[in-house]
Amino acid sequence: MNLTYGIIIVVGLLIAGILGMIALDPGYLENAPPKPGIEKETVCTNEDNPMCGVDRVTYDNLCKMHLADVELSYKGKCVVVEATETEVVMDEPSADHTVSIPEGSGVVGCEETNECYIPYSLNVAIGETVSWSNDDSAAHTVTSGSPAGGPDGMFDSSMIMAGETFEYTFDEEGTFAYYCIVHPWMIGEVVVGDAGEMVVEPEPEPEPEPTPEPEPEPTPEPEPEPEQDTPISSAMPRAPMSHTVEMAIGSGVPGCEETNECYLPYSLEILVRDTVVWDNIDSASHTVTAGSSADGPTGLFDSGLFLSGTTFEYTFDEEGVYPYFCMVHPWMVGEIIVNEVQELIVEPPNPAADDRDMIVDEPIREERMSGPHEVDMAVGSAVPGCEETLECYLPYQIEISSGESVLWNNIDSAAHTVTSGIPGSPDGVFDSGMVMSGGTYEFTFVEPGEYDYYCMVHPWMTGKIMVA
């Protein structure tokens, strides 16, 4: 009995000692060396006993990690690693200033308030960037220079379509004027450096002196011109003809497509080997490009960009239907229908030719001016309004003697023509063709009579020559 009690007391003391050691060091059992023996299979339960690694990611039950063959990088307590602050670099906008190309600037009128580019004048520092945003529905350009002097080559955006932008960085001090090549009334300026605020002073246009309209004197009826010596009485093939299509005024703004009146006429029927001349009577620049706005150019013909007052022509050598459009204003569409030549023209003999011996040429007056009479194409005559005071050609009417000459000077910035006849009906007596800005045209009048003339590009421009 005493032995039994002794064993119980010794075992109790051992158990009490082990419990005391556990109380003093709780990690003892965790770090205790494993006992030799067979390793039992780990069984997963739904118990949530998260473990934490040095990467601050919390893992689920340790048994699940063992089954997935995943080990913690650190098997002790969760170590909190101090987070390193990462500097976030935001992309700074590339442009320091923005200029808007506003809606409707493709139509004349915004220049009256300097609101074709907004702002019209912009002050920037050297090294800063300006971004132009096309908020209009039409295409535009941002071209350094001026409409009068043309591009100076410093910067040019080329064609900026609706919704697109153009940027330029200014590295030199100065005042840099720019404009839109397509719509030359659109102008702006960028002031670089310490030039201060600029005072907008539009360039004054010379005002033509009003010329009183002389009262026409009664003149004898012009005598008929001699006819051809040999009348044509036989059948002959139809000669190739020239046809004209106009870009309607205001076609640079959407709306003309609703009535098919962007090109006038919209559809034109011609014969093989005929020529079509497109006449830009609008104030905006346009193109005549074979193809469609949906499918793009076909490459058959393309005028490129031609300005107000200029023309483009193309001769059609094959039968077919040829649609075309304006690349700048894609709502502008038209078509040319080319048919084969199947007719012969018979010109009857001219009975008046037998009376040609009765025509007597009047002697030319010996007293003449030492030089030609001069007529100016007025500044601003490319815009309707001058016809109200008969001041499109200055003077509107002049009187000369037979054998004297008239010299027309184009002092306007737009191109014009001097075409005998009335608007829409040239009579073929004289035609200058296109007279560019600064150019001249001269014609000598031999036959007495009254000669009306007009500008084919701007048909409101009319004038008159009285030959005695």
Side-chain angles (χ1 to χ4, degrees), residues 1-24:
M1 292 290 294
N2 292 333
L3 179 61
T4 302
Y5 290 141
I7 293 172
I8 292 173
I9 292 171
V10 171
V11 172
L13 292 175
L14 289 173
I15 294 173
I18 292 172
L19 293 176
M21 293 178 65
I22 293 173
L24 293 176

Side-chain angles (χ1 to χ4, degrees), residues 40-59:
K40 295 182 179 180
E41 181 180 359
T42 303
V43 179
C44 281
T45 68
N46 291 327
E47 178 187 3
D48 187 16
N49 183 22
M51 303 295 292
C52 182
V54 294
D55 54 0
R56 304 197 309 279
V57 176
T58 300
Y59 300 94

Side-chain angles (χ1 to χ4, degrees), residues 82-215:
E82 294 292 335
T84 303
E85 293 185 3
T86 303
E87 183 179 357
V88 179
V89 180
M90 300 295 291
D91 292 335
E92 297 182 358
S94 58
D96 302 292
H97 305 272
T98 300
V99 176
S100 171
I101 304 174
E103 180 72 28
S105 54
V107 181
V108 177
C110 59
E111 74 281 2
E112 298 176 1
T113 55
N114 283 325
E115 293 182 341
C116 298
Y117 295 98
I118 299 179
Y120 160 79
S121 182
L122 179 67
N123 289 68
V124 304
I126 296 176
E128 289 186 331
T129 300
V130 178
S131 174
W132 285 266
S133 173
N134 186 2
D135 303 319
D136 192 18
S137 57
H140 297 280
T141 76
V142 175
T143 306
S144 60
S146 67
D152 60 19
M154 182 174 180
F155 57 88
D156 182 22
S157 64
S158 299
M159 203 67 72
I160 309 174
M161 306 308 291
E164 295 183 351
T165 60
F166 166 69
E167 293 185 1
Y168 184 78
T169 301
F170 292 85
D171 298 323
E172 298 179 6
E173 184 176 2
T175 300
F176 302 95
Y178 62 91
Y179 70 108
C180 175
I181 290 182
V182 182
H183 311 102
W185 56 86
M186 298 176 57
I187 58 174
E189 66 178 10
V190 177
V191 182
V192 183
D194 301 327
E197 295 188 6
M198 300 296 297
V199 179
V200 177
E201 296 183 359
E203 185 176 334
E205 294 184 354
E207 297 183 0
E209 297 181 1
T211 303
E213 180 184 353
E215 297 183 3

Side-chain angles (χ1 to χ4, degrees), residues 371-408:
H373 300 264
E374 294 194 12
V375 176
D376 289 336
M377 303 172 196
V379 174
S381 55
V383 180
C386 58
E387 74 280 5
E388 298 175 2
T389 55
L390 296 177
E391 293 181 344
C392 299
Y393 293 99
L394 297 173
Y396 163 77
Q397 176 178 309
I398 62 172
E399 296 182 10
I400 65 172
S401 300
S402 59
E404 291 183 336
S405 300
V406 178
L407 178 69
W408 284 268

